[in-house]
Amino acid sequence: MAGWAVAAAVLLAAFAGAPLFTVIAAAGLAAFSAAGTDPAALIAELYRLVDFPALIAIPLFTFAGYLLAESQAPRRLVALAQGVLGWLPGGLAVVAILSTAVFTAFSGASGVTIIALGGLILPSLLKQGYPKRFSLGLTTTSGSLGLLFPPSLPIILYSIVAGVSVDRLFVAGLLPGVILLVVLSAYSIRMGISRGLPRTPFRIREVGRALKDAAWEVPLPFVVIGGIYAGIVTAAEAAALTVVYLLIVEVLIRREISLVRGLGRVMRESMVLVGAILVMLGAAMGITSYVVDQQIPMKLFQLVSSVVSSRILFLVILNVFLLVMNMVEIFSAIIIVVPIIVPVALQYGVDPVHLGIIFLLNLEIGYMTPPLGLNLFLSSLRFGEPLPRVYRSVLPFFGLLAAVLLVVTYVPALSLGLGHR
């Protein structure tokens, strides 16, 4: 009875709005106590965090994402992309897809993309004559594009929780991420052709002007992504270089972030998020230790395998489960779910790197999955649209992303071909 009372108290605290890391820590303490283990074992797990070489990349890339969001860099990059690709049918929509993917990769998809770029993208699409439903759906969907590209924070977090090389994950996400952007861009081009939407003529002078305006920001994605893919720098080294570069450019050269008040505020806001992630990660690692000690993954596998013997059917069930789970807060989904599903998936012969790409792609889709996807609520609040209208607007994009997910799930070579050794 005492165990059920503690579990009920933890759930009540969660529904009452208690910070998630306290809920996870309380659940871990209760689990250890119920198993007769010293609860201090949960605290001891915090020290394991220092053994992960990719850990330092979390605060650095988070800080870099906040620096980008605070500056005018997103507007400059959108203007440049429009000058280069605006001549395409549906060119503005393609620009929105690519720009938000790059921005989301750096910002960590914590809702910053819709807030930072949504007010620029949606009015521009409507002004050029794109249907409102399409424009709203595209803007809502774009809030989580780019999770498969470095320096995506969810990839780093997954690598720590799953014990997988972050560099291998970065390489594995390249081709699936590109396929996803190509599919969405093709849909946008089709919309542009069918609607006869206006295009922006390619003018080398305007492109040159936009390139000059964004000259400091343009090299950053190529240096970071190219350096990681080429094996020149690790994720942690790329994170440090990114922060130093952005501090020099946005604070000292462009002076769009004031050295005293602005920089201090960005540091404070970004580190609050980092602190929450690290504390939650430390608490979750304690629960992971309990899960392993109690052989919960093996028991779960025995239960699942008694019903599901086919690897194909297991992946179907896994995708449905992940879509539901990934509608909750992003970092919570990774920290809570990954330690349980990785050992089970291994029993079905699913490579942990491939599983990571499946998980992260589900995460992208989960953000815009009705009724609880985070992007849906952010879009409704940001643009003043009722939720049912937002739900309807994302359905075509949901179908496209789900189709890509199926292909990536059942063609492991897309994830493992480039990075598999």
Side-chain angles (χ1 to χ4, degrees):
M1 289 298 294
W4 286 107
V6 172
V10 171
L11 287 175
L12 184 60
F15 285 115
L20 189 58
F21 77 88
T22 63
V23 175
I24 295 176
L29 290 171
F32 275 111
S33 297
T37 304
D38 187 347
L42 177 68
I43 308 303
E45 290 296 324
L46 287 170
Y47 291 99
R48 288 178 55 203
L49 288 175
V50 301
D51 294 331
F52 295 101
L55 183 67
I56 189 61
I58 293 179
L60 290 176
F61 275 134
T62 302
F63 182 41
Y66 272 73
L67 285 173
L68 278 175
E70 186 69 17
S71 71
Q72 294 299 312
R75 293 180 180 273
R76 289 189 288 269
L77 292 175
V78 170
L80 175 60
Q82 174 68 356
V84 175
L85 299 173
W87 59 271
L88 284 170
L92 181 58
V94 176
V95 166
I97 291 168
L98 299 181
S99 301
T100 54
V102 171
F103 186 78
T104 300
F106 279 89
S107 68
S110 56
V112 178
T113 301
I114 291 178
I115 303 300
L117 292 181
L120 172 65
I121 291 173
L122 182 61
S124 299
L125 290 169
L126 296 176
K127 185 177 180 180
Q128 282 210 2
Y130 286 83
K132 185 173 183 178
R133 181 172 175 177
F134 171 86
S135 303
L136 182 61
L138 177 66
T139 308
T140 304
T141 302
S142 66
S144 58
L145 296 180
L147 283 184
L148 294 177
F149 300 119
S152 168
L153 188 57
I155 290 183
I156 299 172
L157 194 58
Y158 177 92
S159 74
I160 293 175
V161 176
V164 178
S165 165
V166 66
D167 297 319
R168 283 193 66 195
L169 282 169
F170 279 150
V171 174
L174 176 61
L175 192 53
V178 169
I179 292 173
L180 182 63
L181 298 185
V182 168
V183 168
L184 291 177
S185 297
Y187 178 61
S188 300
I189 291 173
R190 179 178 175 274
M191 174 63 69
I193 294 174
S194 64
R195 293 276 179 165
L197 297 172
R199 312 181 195 181
T200 302
F202 182 85
R203 295 188 176 92
I204 189 66
R205 183 174 299 178
E206 292 184 4
V207 172
R209 187 182 301 114
L211 183 60
K212 182 179 179 181
D213 289 340
W216 287 106
E217 288 85 9
V218 167
L220 186 59
F222 297 100
V223 171
V224 173
I225 298 175
I228 292 175
Y229 284 145
I232 300 173
V233 294
T234 64
E237 292 167 343
L241 289 173
T242 302
V243 168
V244 172
Y245 185 83
L246 288 176
L247 283 173
I248 293 173
V249 171
E250 307 300 347
V251 177
L252 300 180
I253 297 178
R254 293 197 183 276
R255 298 184 180 180
E256 293 176 347
I257 302 175
S258 66
L259 186 58
V260 181
R261 294 185 178 179
L263 185 58
R265 179 171 53 80
V266 172
M267 285 183 176
R268 183 176 64 253
E269 292 177 356
S270 60
M271 290 307 106
V272 166
L273 174 61
V274 170
I277 293 172
L278 294 182
V279 173
M280 188 164 54
L281 181 58
M285 290 180 70
I287 293 184
T288 301
S289 178
Y290 170 81
V291 166
V292 172
D293 290 343
Q294 298 298 312
Q295 298 184 332
I296 292 177
M298 183 58 65
K299 294 175 182 176
L300 181 60
F301 169 70
Q302 292 173 352
L303 176 63
V304 173
S305 61
S306 65
V307 180
V308 179
S309 58
S310 167
R311 178 174 177 271
I312 294 177
L313 182 57
F314 167 74
L315 288 172
V316 171
I317 297 173
L318 176 65
N319 277 321
V320 173
F321 170 74
L322 291 178
L323 278 178
V324 174
M325 287 301 301
N326 286 336
M327 284 190 287
V328 305
E329 198 272 332
I330 172 176
F331 303 116
S332 310
I334 295 174
I335 291 171
I336 296 172
V337 177
V338 169
I340 298 175
I341 66 170
V342 168
V344 177
L346 284 173
Q347 297 294 326
Y348 282 94
V350 181
D351 188 284
V353 173
H354 181 215
L355 178 65
I357 303 307
I358 294 174
F359 189 97
L360 293 165
L361 189 48
N362 268 286
L363 198 60
E364 290 197 24
I365 303 174
Y367 262 97
M368 38 88 72
T369 300
L372 299 176
L374 179 61
N375 280 1
L376 304 173
F377 293 96
L378 289 175
S379 186
S380 176
L381 292 172
R382 180 67 178 83
F383 307 121
E385 298 287 346
L387 273 173
R389 183 176 298 167
V390 179
Y391 291 161
R392 291 192 296 270
S393 71
V394 301
L395 289 179
F397 298 93
F398 179 89
L400 292 173
L401 267 64
V404 174
L405 173 62
L406 285 176
V407 174
V408 171
T409 298
Y410 293 109
V411 186
L414 295 176
S415 303
L416 303 176
L418 295 178
H420 191 66
R421 293 182 178 90

